[in-house]
Amino acid sequence: MNAATMFILPKQLAVISKRHISNVIWSVFIVCLLIGLDVVFYKYIDPVYKFNLAILNKRDIFYLFFIIILMSYLPRPMRYFIILIIFIFTSAQYLFFHYFGTYIQPIHYIQLLPDLGLIAISFLEIINRMYAIFALIIAALLVFIMIERLAAPRMKSYLVIPALLGLLTIDVVQTYPILNTPGKKMSGSMTSRMLPGPNRIAVDNAYRSLRYLAVGVLPKMWSQTSLADMPLPEPKVSTISPQVNVILVIGETVRASQLGILGYKGNDTTPRLSTVDGLFSKTIYSAGTMTRTSWVGILHRLERPGIGEQYKSQSNCVFRLAKQNGFTTHFVYGYDEAAAYTLRAFMCPAFIDKFRSTSDFPKELQQYDRDLIEYVSSVDLNKPNFIVLAPRGAHTPYIDKSPKELKKFNSEYDNAIGYTDVVLSEIIDKLKERSKLPTYFIFTSDHGELLEGESDRLRHGWFREDVFRVPFLFLGINAKMDALGEVLPNVESHFDLTSLVINLLGYDVKVNRDDVKDVYVNGSDLYGLAGYMKVRLKNGNLVSQTVIDE
């Protein structure tokens, strides 16, 4: 090797080393940017979001740094794409936490797409609270642009692609037995490692949820392993084509504790219902803590969480049973067509004769559930009908659930309940006025709601009293109530309520009147994978209440 060669080689090595150093510097800046985002969010936007630099897990930070360094060697388009994904998940984590008070859990990814419309509507109500988050993310993007201009990676290699895929594969292979070994319970430390939690970078938490979804939740969904694998038998007809009307009203987000008729002391939210002669009222347990889980539980008479064989066979679907026993079946939804069709898939729609949403009514009837009252006025109630009505109830934003002229309270939620009182009482009046047949009016709600300032959680989806305790109202019109009067006090849950409905439709199903009985409340996932609650009652009194997480 001559002197010239010896001189050139260190120079080349220096150039290569300098390029590698630029990749390391870029990676350090990106990791610092991600950490800085969490620090700012915690200190200046949401102090409930725990993020303490002093107790960050060094191994997690090193692992993240290692991944970012590998990313720095990717070609620019791929690198930018991954960075964009990181910013999207980081933003989603902040928005979700600021709205709900908790991290994005694995099952939330499944729930997001079907409920996107309702989530967007709810989100608009508190958009003014999110400006700081948007400003934070925009600032972060500007910082990223500066990093790209001042310290952009100079070395690239396609070899890092198999390295990244290999790391991902190893992580999945290690995680799978932890989440899928039968009978194995994860320890507290293992649960903390698998699921999102405090003092972790936002995108790290998002990854943990996605990993749990892919490795723990989806395999169980595909294998259909849930409590619902114990189906109930198909009911048998006891009365052929009974000449009655059954009207089931399922309110939206109406919690029992806010109804005056059920003891609410804050405001007189149900003055009209309180004066209805013969109206039976009590508080019961919901089938689920979210709209979908609750509706599926009600409409399919699911005793246990999850949609297994009973759901798939439609053996206990109330619309199917009603249609097959001579009833004209109706479903009327207080929201628009897009929202209505989201639920349609879960209610054996082939057996619904008349399916309506707000979009099917004139504009002057599309607000404040007037369409539901109008629809009841149009039905021939002198022939047997099974009608399911779904008013807008008290879903967020609360302010648009009651007309301005009827607002009486400072609480918009109470105003929404107050207007529900108006809607229900007018429906009852129409039923009394137009039906000569025995007619049964039943009201409940899909779930309740946690209001702002009441708890460390917000809205619904949680195993909290005001979420899973819902109203049950029953009124018999032109009907003999002697036998029913003995049954109604035994209705303790949506499962019992549906059993009562199916019995009124002419089937041999009876409400469970055992002294001791178990009630199940599904969580936020149709398959029962977001946890569930088991309640034991004795003579209607609470014995035990246990939340079981899958």
Side-chain angles (χ1 to χ4, degrees):
M1 183 179 296
N2 56 39
T5 305
M6 290 176 66
F7 177 77
I8 292 170
L9 187 58
K11 186 176 180 181
Q12 290 176 334
L13 289 173
V15 170
I16 294 172
S17 176
K18 187 176 180 180
R19 289 176 178 173
H20 282 294
I21 288 172
S22 70
N23 286 49
V24 173
I25 292 172
W26 180 88
S27 302
V28 169
F29 281 156
I30 294 300
V31 171
C32 289
L33 175 60
L34 294 175
I35 293 174
L37 279 171
D38 275 7
V39 170
V40 173
F41 180 72
Y42 164 57
K43 283 188 174 294
Y44 300 104
I45 298 177
D46 196 334
V48 179
Y49 183 87
K50 299 300 181 185
F51 192 78
N52 188 337
L53 282 173
I55 57 175
L56 287 182
N57 188 303
K58 292 181 177 60
R59 187 179 68 176
D60 291 345
I61 298 300
F62 175 79
Y63 188 74
L64 176 66
F65 180 67
F66 183 64
I67 297 295
I68 296 293
I69 278 189
L70 290 178
M71 282 172 45
S72 73
Y73 287 89
L74 291 171
R76 181 179 293 175
M78 295 180 68
R79 191 172 75 241
Y80 280 14
F81 176 74
I82 294 177
I83 288 293
L84 177 62
I85 295 298
I86 288 174
F87 275 118
I88 288 172
F89 276 107
T90 299
S91 305
Q93 191 76 259
Y94 294 158
L95 292 168
F96 192 92
F97 194 96
H98 202 51
Y99 184 76
F100 288 107
T102 188
Y103 307 95
I104 298 176
Q105 298 297 322
I107 210 67
H108 290 141
Y109 290 109
I110 295 176
Q111 297 160 345
L112 179 62
L113 189 58
D115 286 334
L116 201 55
L118 286 176
I119 291 171
I121 292 170
S122 300
F123 184 76
L124 290 174
E125 183 190 20
I126 44 89
I127 190 75
N128 60 316
R129 288 169 46 192
M130 302 298 180
Y131 290 149
I133 297 173
F134 294 137
L136 178 63
I137 297 302
I138 291 170
L141 288 170
L142 293 174
V143 172
F144 172 72
I145 292 170
M146 290 176 59
I147 293 171
E148 280 292 311
R149 289 178 66 87
L150 299 175
R154 296 187 182 182
M155 290 291 288
K156 66 178 182 179
S157 172
Y158 287 97
L159 291 176
V160 300
I161 297 175
L164 285 167
L165 292 175
L167 285 172
L168 181 63
T169 303
I170 291 170
D171 195 31
V172 168
V173 169
Q174 289 179 335
T175 304
Y176 187 87
I178 295 173
L179 300 179
N180 294 278
T181 302
K184 181 178 181 179
K185 282 284 185 182
M186 288 194 296
S187 65
S189 60
M190 187 61 71
T191 301
S192 175
R193 184 181 136 197
M194 292 291 109
L195 292 170
N199 298 307
R200 288 204 187 101
I201 295 172
V203 72
D204 183 14
N205 274 332
Y207 170 73
R208 289 171 195 268
S209 287
L210 279 171
R211 179 181 63 186
Y212 198 105
L213 171 70
V215 179
V217 175
L218 293 179
K220 292 178 183 177
M221 288 177 61
W222 293 327
S223 65
Q224 290 283 291
T225 55
S226 73
L227 285 176
D229 291 334
M230 302 168 63
L232 298 170
E234 182 172 349
K236 296 179 180 178
V237 174
S238 58
T239 304
I240 298 173
S241 299
Q243 297 299 294
V244 302
N245 292 299
V246 180
I247 291 81
L248 172 61
V249 184
I250 305 175
E252 174 65 61
T253 322
V254 177
R255 68 189 201 181
S257 63
Q258 219 80 1
L259 271 67
I261 197 171
L262 291 173
Y264 179 48
K265 303 300 183 184
N267 289 310
D268 188 7
T269 52
T270 56
R272 297 194 184 191
L273 289 172
S274 297
T275 62
V276 174
D277 223 15
L279 182 67
F280 178 87
S281 60
K282 71 176 295 188
T283 299
I284 63 173
Y285 290 89
S286 65
T289 62
M290 296 284 282
T291 297
R292 186 172 296 101
T293 53
S294 184
W295 272 77
V296 170
I298 295 169
L299 297 181
H300 289 269
R301 192 177 167 242
L302 298 181
E303 184 177 18
R304 296 163 179 265
I307 51 175
E309 290 302 319
Q310 181 178 318
Y311 170 82
K312 290 194 294 184
S313 69
Q314 301 183 350
S315 64
N316 281 256
C317 178
V318 288
F319 282 115
R320 172 180 172 270
L321 296 173
K323 179 68 176 172
Q324 292 184 348
N325 204 24
F327 289 83
T328 301
T329 55
H330 313 250
F331 174 69
V332 190
Y333 198 43
Y335 285 92
D336 63 17
E337 183 176 353
Y341 274 78
T342 299
L343 280 177
R344 182 184 176 93
F346 304 108
M347 53 177 66
C348 53
F351 298 95
I352 302 176
D353 296 314
K354 299 180 181 181
F355 187 98
R356 300 285 187 275
S357 70
T358 293
S359 305
D360 298 311
F361 292 86
K363 285 190 176 180
E364 63 270 19
L365 294 175
Q366 290 185 7
Q367 275 194 315
Y368 310 124
D369 292 327
R370 303 303 306 177
D371 50 340
L372 274 63
I373 300 168
E374 182 67 20
Y375 188 83
V376 172
S377 300
S378 69
V379 176
D380 183 358
L381 295 173
N382 293 312
K383 296 178 181 178
N385 294 277
F386 175 59
I387 306 172
V388 176
L389 304 174
R392 301 171 79 207
H395 195 283
T396 54
Y398 310 133
I399 194 170
D400 68 3
K401 299 304 183 295
S402 59
K404 188 175 181 180
E405 62 273 16
L406 293 181
K407 293 183 185 295
K408 301 184 294 183
F409 313 121
N410 292 328
S411 164
E412 288 295 351
Y413 187 82
D414 280 2
N415 283 327
I417 302 296
Y419 189 66
T420 297
D421 176 63
V422 172
V423 172
L424 297 182
S425 60
E426 290 196 21
I427 289 172
I428 289 172
D429 289 342
K430 294 294 182 184
L431 296 174
K432 288 180 176 179
E433 174 188 318
R434 303 190 65 256
S435 178
K436 295 179 181 177
L437 295 178
T439 298
Y440 302 101
F441 168 88
I442 303 164
F443 172 74
T444 190
S445 177
D446 53 358
H447 51 73
E449 184 90 320
L450 295 174
L451 304 180
E452 194 161 355
E454 291 184 336
S455 169
D456 60 339
R457 296 287 183 264
L458 192 62
R459 309 300 182 226
H460 43 271
W462 317 112
F463 293 107
R464 302 293 176 88
E465 193 86 8
D466 278 322
V467 176
F468 59 73
R469 296 289 274 167
V470 293
F472 167 54
L473 308 180
F474 186 96
L475 180 67
I477 302 168
N478 306 325
K480 295 179 179 179
M481 290 294 296
D482 295 344
L484 279 172
E486 297 178 7
V487 172
L488 296 178
N490 293 282
V491 174
E492 303 287 358
S493 65
H494 276 159
F495 173 73
D496 289 337
L497 180 150
T498 308
S499 297
L500 173 64
V501 168
I502 292 175
N503 180 260
L504 295 173
L505 294 174
Y507 289 85
D508 63 354
V509 170
K510 304 293 184 184
V511 172
N512 183 352
R513 300 175 69 177
D514 293 344
D515 291 342
V516 178
K517 64 181 180 181
D518 293 332
V519 170
Y520 293 88
V521 180
N522 198 359
S524 56
D525 171 56
L526 282 172
Y527 292 84
L529 300 174
Y532 60 92
M533 186 172 74
K534 181 179 179 181
V535 179
R536 174 152 292 182
L537 302 172
K538 184 173 183 180
N539 297 320
N541 297 313
L542 179 65
V543 174
S544 63
Q545 189 169 283
T546 309
V547 175
I548 298 100
D549 290 315
E550 284 291 312

